[in-house]
Amino acid sequence: MIRPLIFTALATCATVALAESKLELEFPPPKVTSTPAPIKLSNLEAPNTPAPDIMVPNDVTNVAAGKTVTSSDPWPIIGELDMVTDGDKESEDGYYVELGEMQQWVQIDLESETEIFGIGLWHYHAQPRAYLDVIVQVSNDPEFASGVTTLFNNDNDNSSDMGRGEDPAYLEKNYGRLIPGKQAKARYVRLYSNGNTSDGLNHYIEVEVFGRPVE
Amino acid sequence: MTDSPSPQLNPTSWSRRGFLKTGLAAGGMVLAAPAVLRGQPSANAINIALVGVGSQGRVLLDSMLNIPELNFVAVCDIWELSQRYGVNRLKKAGFNPNGYTDIEDMLAKEQNLDAVIIATPDFWHAPHTNMCLKAGLHVYCEKMMAHTVESARSMVQTMRETGKLLQIGHQRRSNPRYLHALHNIIEKAKIPGRITNINGQWNRAVSEDLGWPKRYEIPADTLQRYGFKDMHQFRNWRWFKDLSGGPISDLGAHQIDIFNWFLGTGPKSVMASGGADYYDTHEWYDNVMAIFEYDTAQGPVRAFYQVLTTTSAGGGYFEQFMGDEGSVKISENPNLTKVYREDRAPDWEKWIELNYLRRSAGAPAPKEAATVDVRETAPLVAYDLPVVLDKPLHQPHLENFFAAVRGQAKLNCDAAHAFESEAAIFKVNPAVAARKALDFTPEDFKA
């Protein structure tokens, strides 16, 4: 899926009518395997909380599709980093990349500065679980040493030492997670996690970045 | 693990985040210095191989990585993807295992093994287990023991012939909450009074068949060599009659085992209904409802069990032992574990003082019962069990196995005891097919 689904149209600004649509993710089919581990997190949001409403211009596309992915873990346990942007959102064996324990990240190079409206994120959804310390940042610096904008942070106790976040932890489902892009302008997107409530590892099935080139 | 555990008087609270921060704190640093931080296996380490690195094999692997003094020397799986997973996962944890496709090849080359963990599809359990036992190895084999009762019986016989240990993966038998419920709540305190009925269930929502990416497809000749018609059958073996016993065996085995274990006897009969009603691609019954009849020292007990794979309704997965003075509802999910008091029961305060029970925070005070709608049964006062499992669900059962390998414990579920219990499960599918009650004979439970 490249383009977001068109849901509604025509928002207006001061002088011109600009076609817009509601950004909605395309979901893979739900799958359930094995018995989930109990989850007890103080910042866990209620299951099935609606995704945020994000209106986007109609020239916005998934600019992450097929783009190069790098990672903090150069030797994934299984899978390839290109699975993160290959458009496949299945949760089964062979469709995800699994990184090691503790904090790990994947980074997508959008190849040019991009106005970002929303990010779709699927970690692993064949079992109800929550990933810990999910932090999503964007920057024009590939090292993320400067000009960093944080779009999502649910590290409520600052255990990843990147600052305390107010966003909720959430259960992984086939719906993924839609994160507002706040029209941030950046070339690189970096997504962190710090294990999960089932096995302490870090998985990425797919990341979609909905944006358009900065003119 | 002893047969008569004492109640835990200082329960700790479960915190997944706490577990991760403590239990896995060394894990990240392991990447840099695995041998130092995981602990270089000593000369006393148990050398083990993991055979079958699918979803269940990985659950066991994660638990075993928390157990000290294990040395992972080999993994075996016919799917290159899973085999690579096992090798890479263990390398990240500081081990250097060899990967194998064929178990016979592995046994021929790995001469220093002490024990094997088997998590292959059910129809391979007996051949793999018997092969490993005869090779002089101790075995932990996942449940269901086998896909046929004859194969399961052969595993017990091989265990006896070889004198090696064979633990079956009914992990609830090592769960401290289940041990407390049986030995303290039911046996010592006799809280339910006379148990007359049991209710158990495991319901799951509709789920599509498992798929696979083309780039990881197993060659057809390899699949056929290992008993699979094609890749779809390999990925969905639980639904095929030659390979598995279906949901009643896959999910029901855990819970019907609890019926038999807690009652201390097998049933005298079973009647059941089920059908392959919903899925076009499955051979086994997607929904089964079974009723077992028991004769116990206290009197007759009837036990209902349902496994549904077309709805997650019904309140999760649990086993509930219902007596004339109270009921014990237990589950691997601690939130579903409660003890309910009938009004006619004797005072339970002493059990609270002894920390056998804890009054549930959400339980209505007895006086509030007078305000309920009298057209309905008043809610029973609920209590909690003050025992918490602060480890992954399978870890205590694996710890018990490795302690037994070291001669420090007795197996909590050796193959002989597992067979006595699983004999009841093997008869459910035939009861569905026969559409009538089937009686058990003493020979059914003998291996």
Side-chain angles (χ1 to χ4, degrees), chain A residues 31-32 35 73 75 77-78 83 92-96 98 101-102 132-133 157 159 197-199 201, chain B residues 14 16-17 20-21 24 27-28 38 58 62 81 85 88-89 92 207-213 215 317:
Chain A
K31 294 277 173 64
V32 179
T35 306
D73 185 348
W75 298 287
I77 294 170
I78 203 70
M83 291 173 170
E92 303 166 66
D93 288 346
Y95 290 102
Y96 58 82
E98 178 171 315
E101 295 171 346
M102 304 302 284
L132 305 175
D133 302 354
D157 60 2
S159 51
T197 52
S198 281
D199 61 17
L201 297 163
Chain B
W14 163 262
R16 183 68 199 176
R17 180 173 287 264
L20 289 168
K21 297 307 174 198
L24 300 178
R38 283 277 186 202
R58 295 176 199 187
D62 285 336
L81 184 73
Y85 179 93
N88 290 348
R89 177 89 172 90
K92 272 216 190 302
S207 184
E208 291 190 6
D209 287 353
L210 295 174
W212 64 97
R215 63 171 148 174
Y317 62 111

Side-chain angles (χ1 to χ4, degrees), chain B residues 2-69:
Chain B
T2 65
D3 287 334
S4 302
S6 300
Q8 293 188 2
L9 301 181
N10 296 301
T12 56
S13 63
W14 163 262
S15 164
R16 183 68 199 176
R17 180 173 287 264
F19 163 73
L20 289 168
K21 297 307 174 198
T22 55
L24 300 178
M29 297 173 69
V30 159
L31 296 175
V36 174
L37 292 172
R38 283 277 186 202
Q40 182 70 42
S42 72
N44 294 323
I46 299 172
N47 292 326
I48 61 175
L50 173 60
V51 179
V53 200
S55 59
Q56 189 59 24
R58 295 176 199 187
V59 168
L60 299 179
L61 178 54
D62 285 336
S63 291
M64 287 191 288
L65 286 172
N66 298 326
I67 301 174
E69 290 292 343

